[in-house]
Amino acid sequence: MSNYPKPDAATLLEIYKKAALIKQNDERVIKQMMAGKLVMPYYSPRGQEIIPSALSVSLTDDDYICTIYRGIHDMLAKGFPLDALWAELAGRVTGTCKGKGGPMHLTCPEKGMMVTTGIVGSSMPIATGLGWAAKLDGKNRVSVANFGDGAANIGAFHESMNMAAVWKLPVIFLCQNNLYAEHTSIAYSRVVEKISERAAGYGMPGVTVNGNDPDEMYGAAKVAIDRARAGEGPTLIEAMTFRFNGHLLGESGGYMDKDLYADAQTKDPMPILRARLVTEGIASEETLKAIEADIDARIDAALTAAMDAPFPDLAELKRDVFAEEIA
Amino acid sequence: MTEIKKMTIVEAINLALHDAMEADPTVLILGEEVGDVQEGGVMGVTKGLSTKYGEDRVKSTPISEQAIIGAAIGAAVGGYKPVAEIMLMNFIAVPMDMIVNHAAKLRFMSGGQTGVPMVIRTMTGSGFSTGGQHSDYLEAWFAHTAGIKVVAPSTPNDAYGLMRAAIDDPDPVLFIENLPSYWTPAPFTKTIVPIGKAKVAREGSDVTIIAHSLMVTHSLAVAEKLAADGISVEVVDLRTISPWDRETVIASVRKTGRAVVVHEAVKQFGIGAEIASVITEELWGTLKGPVQRVGAAYSAVPFSKPLEQAHAPTPDSIGVAVQAALA
Ligand SMILES: Cc1ncc(C[n+]2csc(CCOP(=O)(O)OP(=O)(O)O)c2C)c(N)n1
């Protein structure tokens, strides 16, 4: 890991801005849900903020990502518009998907967010196809497949890693290993120590990094992205992390190891990065406060606009089933 | 509209793929053994394509049905028009998640932001003693899923014309080819056949048979035979199973007053139930008798020859149903 490229000060601040947006957005979603103002299944990405933030600073709007139900962090990091996000969460017609997708199916092609899936393991085959399209386009785009540790046990994971390797596609398989798949600890679902070891079976590089460490995550992502852009094929990155709010918001987490949970909390990546920015003189306390206040204001505006927006017309039931409406 | 010569369905589909790839550089082919190194597959349907259009556009895949359909979805979302082959229809059970949860739904769930303009070609049909896992008709699974179109040609003409239309369709199309009728030559005219339009394959006045694929051929044979007894049978070839052409079917049954729906798939919960039900709703009071349904026995396709022959509808069993409709 020592030979990985490191983020410079400006990039590190950029990573923090994205991560802070994710964290504050998560807190606001939960607040709205607790107040009964938003009703939806919510899979909090709290604790996993650094992974997509440190990845996305090396991506452009042209690059593709596919993600999963727990993917709001991936989207916000890549620039998903806040207004349309909140409107979609509220099921309003002003949402990116006109309220027909919801939290598990957020889509925003102009920012490269092509597919969000609620089916475990399904982001990989589709991202592979986007990688094929990217290669044919010849625009040096890359395609990122986000998924969890649980998804690494689905057949489609193996099929798509193999196909992407055989076809030398610009795909980054990004496993966000938060140690649990729903209520099941990884201890019950694999015998190898690292999921990244599986890359060897498909002849591609596989690395495990501390996904909560911006240096490691940025470096691994940058190397994989550069490799993909250079036409050298796919990489599997296993980013170790932890989810602080359980699987589905509202569950008690009784299956979790209490010591592990307590230890993870002491390693919450957000206060650590924040403190680092100050100690290294990258940003002052005042600057950070201003950044955070600005994020809050933007969320306020998005939330208000979403709640004021109308629900979709019932005619939407028949629309978008096919390109052309069918009686 | 040039009369070329007699052609088989295999040749017609091959020609359609050639013409589509030539007309549009975004048309892609993928599947097991589709390339010329593998001789264009067991049936040779894709022969010549990889040589002519290159291995970037015509990709032979590993045996990875989830990755094949996933890659096709990704490429489609990324702006291409892939034609993916699933060797035999029974194997479509493997990538069912990709088809039902993703290909069919991405347009709707994204509120129309993304579409999946892909074709899935697949072959099936009993009669080759292949037993339970290699010859099923499963069209009802897909007709029951909103967002995917289902077509099944019965002639080389329709095979060509529907394939061209399917490739240019903005939505996913399942293209079902009947293996036993693959090699029967028939007069051929190059035309585009619109999706969603049935064809009156034979005019008649006493009873209407509604069928698709090989069952059209059987029904025409029945009609020919009954004509000698003074019974005038009209045969409607559905061509597109979903969305099906209610107008043509209803107009025909309004004229004849009697209907028999025939399909090779198992009768229970088959598409015949839907069609019979709509005919009854629309024409109640003018029907001269209950709508008859003919389909395969409620069992897997058997191996033993006499059982296999008794399983699927034959001209004889269709004839019996027509007599019942006339009684
Ligand atoms: C194919 C499939 N099986 C089961 C489920 C139910 N399910 C939803 S999330 C989940 C756990 C997935 O865990 P992981 O891949 O580690 O992702 P994480 O939620 O931890 O981010 C399961 C089993 C599903 N959505 N899809």
Side-chain angles (χ1 to χ4, degrees):
Chain A
M1 246 126 272
S2 50
N3 52 352
Y4 276 174
K6 286 212 164 50
D8 58 22
T11 308
L12 208 56
L13 185 59
E14 202 50 40
I15 292 172
Y16 180 74
K17 281 186 190 166
K18 288 175 185 289
L21 170 63
I22 294 163
K23 176 172 177 282
Q24 287 168 237
N25 195 74
D26 180 74
E27 286 161 357
R28 197 67 73 86
V29 168
I30 293 172
K31 205 169 147 197
Q32 290 297 305
M33 288 182 71
M34 294 305 183
K37 291 183 181 149
L38 266 188
V39 181
M40 61 178 187
Y42 185 59
Y43 304 89
S44 165
R46 181 70 196 86
Q48 304 185 193
E49 294 90 346
I50 302 298
I51 298 169
S53 303
L55 166 91
S56 295
V57 288
S58 305
L59 296 177
T60 72
D61 287 352
D62 262 358
D63 293 316
Y64 293 131
I65 73 166
C66 292
T67 189
I68 63 169
Y69 49 88
R70 192 190 314 284
I72 288 192
H73 56 323
D74 300 325
M75 298 167 209
L76 287 174
K78 200 160 187 298
F80 204 102
L82 258 190
D83 284 350
L85 171 73
W86 274 90
E88 190 62 31
L89 297 183
R92 307 302 158 118
V93 71
T94 46
T96 34
C97 310
K98 297 192 259 180
K100 299 200 285 189
M104 283 202 256
H105 308 296
L106 291 158
T107 306
C108 184
E110 66 257 38
K111 292 289 177 185
M113 257 147 304
M114 308 309 283
V115 175
T116 301
T117 182
I119 309 290
V120 170
S122 291
S123 57
M124 293 92 105
I126 301 178
T128 300
L130 283 160
W132 182 24
K135 189 173 181 183
L136 289 164
D137 283 344
K139 287 187 191 156
N140 271 341
R141 298 189 149 119
V142 303
S143 171
V144 182
N146 288 282
F147 55 96
D149 44 290
N153 300 313
I154 292 246
F157 162 85
H158 302 277
E159 287 191 13
S160 22
M161 289 225 300
N162 185 52
M163 194 183 272
V166 172
W167 294 2
K168 267 200 165 195
L169 299 179
V171 183
I172 288 131
F173 294 93
L174 178 49
C175 177
Q176 305 193 18
N177 186 347
N178 58 24
L179 312 184
Y180 287 91
E182 243 177 48
H183 298 197
T184 303
S185 148
I186 48 166
Y188 291 87
S189 57
R190 52 112 183 84
V191 289
V192 289
E193 197 198 328
K194 295 171 177 171
I195 287 168
S196 65
E197 289 173 42
R198 293 178 178 175
Y202 306 104
M204 72 170 77
V207 287
T208 297
V209 294
N210 177 358
N212 289 355
D213 178 330
D215 291 346
E216 277 194 35
M217 188 58 217
Y218 169 85
K222 183 92 174 56
V223 167
I225 291 167
D226 288 350
R227 187 181 133 79
R229 290 204 209 282
E232 288 164 19
T235 302
L236 170 63
I237 300 175
E238 178 185 24
M240 302 308 295
T241 185
F242 197 83
R243 25 152 252 214
F244 288 123
N245 291 326
H247 173 63
L248 177 64
L249 192 74
E251 48 106 322
S252 63
Y255 51 86
M256 279 197 188
D257 183 301
K258 293 202 171 34
D259 294 339
L260 185 71
Y261 186 83
D263 180 57
Q265 280 203 312
T266 66
K267 295 177 185 148
D268 185 339
M270 291 307 293
I272 293 176
L273 175 57
R274 197 180 188 284
R276 176 177 162 192
L277 293 173
V278 177
T279 19
E280 290 184 13
I282 295 169
S284 68
E285 181 62 31
E286 291 68 47
T287 310
L288 295 179
K289 278 203 175 126
I291 288 170
E292 288 150 5
D294 175 59
I295 291 172
D296 265 334
R298 282 165 52 212
I299 296 173
D300 278 342
L303 191 157
T304 310
M307 293 307 181
D308 287 348
F311 286 105
D313 192 283
L314 292 188
E316 282 298 334
L317 268 180
K318 286 175 105 187
R319 272 182 215 136
D320 306 320
V321 175
F322 293 113
E324 213 174 297
E325 206 170 308
I326 284 169
Chain B
M1 287 286 275
T2 28
E3 177 89 20
I4 298 180
K5 55 169 183 178
K6 282 202 164 183
M7 249 201 200
T8 64
I9 288 184
V10 169
E11 290 165 339
I13 295 170
N14 182 266
L15 182 65
L17 296 174
H18 268 287
D19 288 355
M21 291 197 84
E22 181 145 306
D24 183 347
T26 67
V27 176
L28 310 174
I29 307 263
L30 74 163
E32 289 155 26
E33 312 180 345
V34 296
D36 285 329
V37 176
Q38 298 86 3
E39 303 183 314
V42 184
M43 309 298 160
V45 181
T46 51
K47 228 183 203 132
L49 294 164
S50 70
T51 303
K52 199 156 167 205
Y53 300 104
E55 289 183 4
D56 280 345
R57 286 178 69 194
V58 181
K59 289 208 112 32
S60 281
T61 66
I63 304 163
S64 306
E65 279 77 9
Q66 298 182 69
I68 292 168
I69 301 299
I73 294 170
V77 169
Y80 290 82
K81 295 178 181 174
V83 181
E85 175 177 320
I86 296 295
M87 200 180 269
L88 290 178
M89 191 164 208
N90 284 87
F91 312 157
I92 223 164
V94 177
M96 211 54 184
D97 161 54
M98 281 295 135
I99 302 172
V100 171
N101 289 320
H102 297 89
K105 293 185 185 155
L106 291 184
R107 180 183 295 284
F108 187 86
M109 296 193 309
S110 71
Q113 293 179 96
T114 56
V116 187
M118 66 185 278
V119 178
I120 303 169
R121 281 188 48 238
T122 193
M123 294 142 265
T124 192
S126 67
F128 292 128
S129 306
T130 46
Q133 296 177 337
H134 288 73
S135 39
D136 270 334
Y137 266 86
L138 304 169
E139 69 270 23
W141 293 2
F142 305 93
H144 189 68
T145 302
I148 181 160
K149 297 175 183 176
V150 183
V151 306
S154 68
T155 65
N157 253 353
D158 287 355
Y160 178 91
L162 282 170
M163 179 55 81
R164 292 299 304 273
I167 291 171
D168 281 337
D169 198 274
D171 291 303
V173 180
L174 178 68
F175 192 93
I176 307 170
E177 299 162 24
N178 176 269
L179 266 170
S181 48
Y182 248 9
W183 300 277
T184 314
F188 180 81
T189 320
K190 238 190 210 191
T191 43
I192 304 292
V193 175
I195 288 177
K197 282 269 165 272
K199 171 179 76 178
V200 177
R202 178 194 173 104
E203 297 209 15
S205 51
D206 294 329
V207 55
T208 301
I209 300 181
I210 299 115
H212 65 271
S213 200
L214 179 64
M215 293 302 121
V216 174
T217 314
H218 285 356
S219 300
L220 288 170
V222 170
E224 197 63 36
K225 207 163 148 211
L226 291 176
D229 304 335
I231 298 168
S232 172
V233 180
E234 179 147 310
V235 178
V236 175
D237 181 349
L238 277 181
R239 305 200 287 196
T240 298
I241 295 165
S242 182
W244 63 285
D245 183 354
R246 290 175 176 220
E247 242 169 73
T248 301
V249 170
I250 296 296
S252 173
V253 182
R254 193 188 299 281
K255 181 177 80 177
T256 62
R258 298 182 179 92
V260 179
V261 192
V262 186
H263 52 65
E264 189 172 323
V266 168
K267 182 173 158 185
Q268 278 204 40
F269 298 96
I271 62 157
E274 168 74 11
I275 295 170
S277 171
V278 171
I279 293 172
T280 308
E281 283 163 14
E282 299 270 324
L283 299 176
W284 184 247
T286 62
L287 284 176
K288 295 173 186 150
V291 181
Q292 302 290 319
R293 279 192 292 149
V294 188
Y298 186 66
S299 75
V301 180
F303 165 70
S304 176
K305 206 66 199 169
L307 286 181
E308 189 192 40
Q309 279 166 352
H311 180 258
T314 58
D316 284 348
S317 62
I318 298 169
V320 169
V322 172
Q323 296 290 1
L326 289 163

